[in-house]
Amino acid sequence: MSHILIIGGSDAGISAALRAREVDPTATVTMLVADAFPNYSICGLPFYLSGEVADWHHLAHRTLGDIESAGIRVRLNTRALAIDPASHTVRVQTESQA
């Protein structure tokens, strides 16, 4: 079984994670999100600030539950600090380590 690590929880990260699950349903897919807000559309901020989108929660394309129900493990408040491709490791910092 393969393990795929996605760094980032924006639209690109979610798309990569969902596609990985589609290509290999047996793979373990984990997504690192530096903050507590997976899949929020940063591009939508002007619409929120202008009042066109009344609630900033509506900037999320998917909820955390939606993402997890697709079989993706989500690690919130986890920042990737270093990637070592040779050893297939990623050094991370969690909120409790900050």
Side-chain angles (χ1 to χ4, degrees):
M1 178 192 297
S2 61
H3 186 148
I4 300 167
L5 180 66
I6 307 293
I7 299 173
S10 65
D11 291 337
I14 295 293
S15 294
L18 291 172
R19 180 69 177 140
R21 293 288 298 151
E22 184 179 313
V23 170
D24 184 359
T26 66
T28 301
V29 179
T30 303
M31 187 173 61
L32 302 182
V33 181
D35 56 28
F37 308 102
N39 205 212
Y40 275 84
S41 173
I42 294 171
C43 298
L45 284 177
F47 298 102
Y48 170 67
L49 295 173
S50 72
E52 191 171 329
V53 173
D55 183 352
W56 66 273
H57 290 93
H58 292 132
L59 297 177
H61 298 161
R62 291 175 185 83
T63 66
L64 178 59
D66 294 337
I67 298 165
E68 291 176 331
S69 70
I72 299 166
R73 290 192 219 169
V74 181
R75 300 294 180 249
L76 299 177
N77 300 306
T78 304
R79 183 177 303 273
L81 300 177
I83 301 169
D84 184 351
S87 66
H88 295 232
T89 59
V90 176
R91 186 166 50 91
V92 301
Q93 179 183 33
T94 62
E95 189 175 47
S96 63
Q97 296 170 324

